[in-house]
Structures are given as C-alpha cells and as structure tokens.
Amino acid sequence: VRCVVEKIPLFLICIAVSAITQVVQTTGGAVKPLSELSLQPRLLNIPVTYTNYVTKTFWPVDLSVFYPHRLDDVAAWQVAAGCLLVAAVSLLAILQWRRRPYLFVGWFWFVGTLVPVIGLVQFGSHGMADRYTYLPHLGLFTALIWSIAEIGHRRPTTRSVLAFGVFVLVLASTTLSSRYLFAFRNDVTLFTQAIAATRPHAIPWINLGYGYQVYGWYDEALDCYDRALRLDGKPVQLLRNIAAAHAERGAIYSARDAFEDILDAYPDDPHARGHVDSMNAAIAARETEWRSLEDAIQQGPKDTALRAQLASEYIAAGRVDDAVQLYGQIGAMPTGLAAHVFSESKREGVAAQALRAAIELRPNDPELQLQLVRVLHRDGRDAEARPVLRDLIHAHPEFTDAVRYKRTLGW
C-alpha cells in the first residue's frame, strides 16, 4: 500500500499535465473530433500501430517523419495479426508475472505509455510517430535485456550465441537506420523521404513544396502544391503557400488569383483580402509602366529591345501568354527567363511547342530541356517527359536540377 500511496503525487502530476495538453491541443485545432474521424478507424489503427512500433524497433525500414493515418484503409489481416500479437505477449506476461516480473513490467510499460498517443485521442493527421516511442522503448528493452540475461544465467553455454545474436541485431538495426541519416539534411530531403516511404498524403507534399519555396525553387514548389491539391482539396494553409510562392517570384497576376481562391474557399480569411488589394495596387502601377512601353513600341515597331523589355515585365507579372506573343514578334527563341515564360503558359500546346522550337535552335541548352520536362509533367505527359529527362541527364550528368527532378517523375 505504501508503494502505491507514495506515487499518488506523480499520478496527479501526470493527470494535470495530460489535461493541460488536451486543452491546449483542442484549442489549437490539433485534436480531431469524432465527427471528422469516427471511432472505428481509431480502434482499427491501434493493433496495427502497436505491431508497427515493435517491428520498426528491431527492423527500421520505411522510416518517415510523418506516417499518415490509414483511416479505413486497413487490411483485415493486419488488424487480426496486430490483435494476436498484443494479446499473445500480454497473456505471456500475465502468466509469467511471478516468475519473470520483468516481462510483465516491461511489456505493460511499453503498452501503457503508448495509450495516450495510440490514436484514441487523435492529434493531427498522423497514424503513428516514432518520437512517441522514446519512453515506451524503456519497457520493451527492459523485458528483452532481462530475458537475455536470464537465459545466459541459466544456460552459460548459450552466452556466446546470445552475445553474437545481440551483436548481429544491433549491427543490422544500425545499418538499416543509418540509411535515413541523409533525410535530415533539410526539409527537401526530409519530406522527399516521407513521400517515398508512406502512402499518398497532402501533408508531406505541402512541406516538400515549402522546402523548395524557401530555397527559391518555385517551379518545384508549385508542382508539389499541385500534388497536394489533388490529394486534399483546398486547405487554407496550402492555398496561402501557393499565393505566397507566386508573390515571392513576382507573378502578381497569379498571386492575386491565388489570394482570390482563398477568399472563394474561406470568405472570412483575415489576410487574403488585404493581399488581394495589395496585388491589385501593384498590378495598376505595373500596367502604367507597360502602357508607356507599349506606346514606345507603337512608335518604333521594329524595336526588338523594347519588345524584349516588355516581355520580361510580363514574365515577372505572370502574363505569360502575352510574353509568348511578344517573343514570337521578335522572331527568336530566347533562353533563361523566356524558358520560364513558356513553362508557365497555360494555353493548350503553347508551352511544349515553343520549348521544342527553342531546343531545335539551341540543342545544347539544358535549361530549356528541363523546362520542357517540367511542362510535360505538369500536363500529365510523364511518358514523354521521362525520355527527355533521361537524354538530358546523359548529356549533362552534372546538372543537379535535372537529376533532382527524377524524384518528381517517380523515376
């Protein structure tokens, strides 16, 4: 009784901290109510998650910073296998609790400390998280280490075999887990690995897009955001990221349209209206400058320099079709910023056709070829994009942007 009484303050502290955490997470919108995620998928996820935690402890493969919740997409055999594993080990620990109390303490430490994060109370969109197992693993390893020690004590002849087995297990786990160290270099590598290791979900794509956006790789960022839109509709944070990417690259028309999309989906958004007004003001100022250039072009119809200057202005603003028309009047296929014009053009056939013509004039320009790959991928023509990318990498193996784009094509 005394052992129980002296721990009452600790239990009270745990209850208080748990209550505070629940209130904070609920207020912040992190806790999913039953109306969004019913009880059935929560319960089905529990035995599968216990099994995955044990499996990944000793065989760490397909590790990820984010594991999407399976919702109703759980095979019956996985649920049955998980229930059987938890029930069998629990029964063994109960039957052995007098002779081997370390099994009982270790296993139920593992099972019990995972209960708050096992999914009955659902935080966010993940089904499990490796970080949740730091404390539970103390129990699992207690049961394992004491079991090995007892076998070695009872049968001294097995000590060498046990030591070798532990060495092999540690070496295998270290080797397997070390393969994921590269993922922690930055957000791009981290969420690229998450996408490769888990089922499709919008959150890794959003985070990967934001990682690209931070580095100024706006084409890649918008590709990722487009994938996320297909998976999860139009969550407000995703729409904000899309609008911010357009605004940061200076595409004021696209930015305004993106902020208006936010208002269409979320009329009460406190920031979108202000951004729309700012973009409209920027567009009005820019159009005043363009009218001056257009008047100058009318006075000097053969002045290709003025047309190139105006086309560059259009590029920055996102008026890509107008820029394509101007470059057609110039009669030359430029590289650099012009490639961005063609890649962003949404008119049917304009982008790919213009880029192929540009590549014919400049067959050794890797930037144009990569833009063509991006356009084909954007239009859902991956079968055409892959051979172009393959030839590009073969000719320019040092072109890191092209090599990195292999993952985008799932190659």
Side-chain angles (χ1 to χ4, degrees):
V1 175
R2 180 182 176 184
C3 293
V4 175
V5 172
E6 68 184 9
K7 293 179 177 61
I8 289 178
L10 298 177
F11 286 117
L12 293 177
I13 292 172
C14 291
I15 292 171
V17 171
S18 299
I20 293 171
T21 302
Q22 177 71 21
V23 171
V24 171
Q25 296 282 10
T26 302
T27 304
V31 178
K32 284 188 177 293
L34 288 172
S35 58
E36 291 186 25
L37 185 65
S38 65
L39 187 60
Q40 179 178 339
R42 298 183 191 221
L43 295 176
L44 292 177
N45 188 58
I46 290 175
V48 177
T49 299
Y50 272 118
T51 304
N52 287 338
Y53 279 140
V54 174
T55 302
K56 289 182 183 293
T57 299
F58 301 106
W59 196 252
V61 296
D62 292 333
L63 301 182
S64 172
V65 69
F66 175 78
Y67 299 99
H69 198 289
R70 293 172 176 267
L71 303 178
D72 294 319
D73 187 23
V74 183
W77 71 267
Q78 291 178 307
V79 178
C83 290
L84 183 61
L85 172 67
V86 174
V89 179
S90 298
L91 179 61
L92 176 64
I94 292 171
L95 294 176
Q96 295 288 319
W97 79 275
R98 288 188 179 275
R99 294 183 59 193
R100 298 178 177 86
Y102 53 83
L103 285 178
F104 184 90
V105 172
W107 175 250
F108 285 105
W109 175 292
F110 174 74
V111 172
T113 52
L114 277 174
V115 167
V117 291
I118 203 64
L120 287 174
V121 179
Q122 180 62 37
F123 296 96
S125 300
H126 52 268
M128 57 180 285
D130 295 330
R131 63 185 180 276
Y132 290 161
T133 61
Y134 296 156
L135 284 177
H137 274 153
L138 294 176
L140 197 61
F141 287 121
T142 295
L144 176 65
I145 293 169
W146 281 59
S147 297
I148 293 173
E150 181 183 351
I151 295 172
H153 178 73
R154 289 176 176 270
R155 299 181 180 180
T157 56
T158 64
R159 291 177 182 176
S160 298
V161 175
L162 290 171
F164 180 74
V166 170
F167 170 76
V168 171
L169 179 61
V170 171
L171 180 62
S173 297
T174 303
T175 302
L176 289 170
S177 58
S178 65
R179 297 186 306 167
Y180 298 93
L181 293 177
F182 80 93
F184 291 90
R185 294 175 184 171
N186 52 57
D187 285 353
V188 172
T189 56
L190 185 64
F191 289 101
T192 297
Q193 165 58 27
I195 290 168
T198 60
R199 60 191 293 270
H201 196 277
I203 287 180
W205 283 108
I206 294 173
N207 284 278
L208 178 59
Y210 185 73
Y212 282 133
Q213 186 175 333
V214 168
Y215 287 110
W217 300 336
Y218 298 112
D219 288 330
E220 290 85 349
L222 291 169
D223 280 344
C224 292
Y225 294 151
D226 183 60
R227 294 285 191 98
L229 283 172
R230 298 177 204 170
L231 290 168
D232 194 25
K234 293 185 177 181
V236 63
Q237 188 56 55
L238 173 55
L239 296 179
R240 287 173 180 166
N241 286 4
I242 293 171
H246 286 302
E248 289 171 14
R249 79 189 307 177
I252 52 179
Y253 281 93
S254 299
R256 181 191 61 184
D257 292 344
F259 283 120
E260 288 178 344
D261 286 342
I262 297 176
L263 286 176
D264 290 341
Y266 303 92
D268 297 328
D269 188 274
H271 305 293
R273 172 54 62 189
H275 284 298
V276 169
D277 293 340
S278 298
M279 291 299 106
N280 282 329
I283 289 171
R286 192 74 63 83
E287 287 180 344
T288 300
E289 300 174 7
W290 294 336
R291 279 192 290 271
S292 298
L293 286 173
E294 290 167 353
D295 291 341
I297 289 173
Q298 291 296 326
Q299 296 173 11
K302 296 184 179 180
D303 193 335
T304 58
L306 283 177
R307 282 183 168 79
Q309 181 182 350
L310 182 57
S312 297
E313 293 282 342
Y314 286 159
I315 289 170
R319 290 179 57 176
V320 292
D321 291 337
D322 294 330
V324 169
Q325 183 178 0
L326 277 174
Y327 278 124
Q329 294 173 8
I330 293 172
M333 290 295 179
T335 57
L337 290 177
H340 166 66
V341 172
F342 298 134
S343 70
E344 288 296 301
S345 176
K346 297 298 187 292
R347 278 195 326 205
E348 185 69 26
V350 167
Q353 182 179 359
L355 280 166
R356 291 188 188 279
I359 291 170
E360 288 182 7
L361 293 174
R362 293 181 175 85
N364 295 321
D365 189 330
E367 290 286 351
L368 284 176
Q369 295 178 49
L370 181 57
Q371 291 293 344
L372 176 59
V373 172
R374 286 171 172 156
V375 166
L376 293 173
H377 172 62
R378 183 200 67 196
D379 295 341
R381 297 157 64 182
D382 286 355
E384 296 178 54
R386 289 192 182 95
V388 176
L389 183 61
R390 188 181 300 112
D391 293 342
L392 171 58
I393 295 174
H394 179 73
H396 302 276
E398 75 290 347
F399 190 18
T400 56
D401 286 349
V403 175
R404 188 173 61 246
Y405 208 78
K406 289 168 62 177
R407 289 183 178 275
T408 304
L409 289 181
W411 176 15

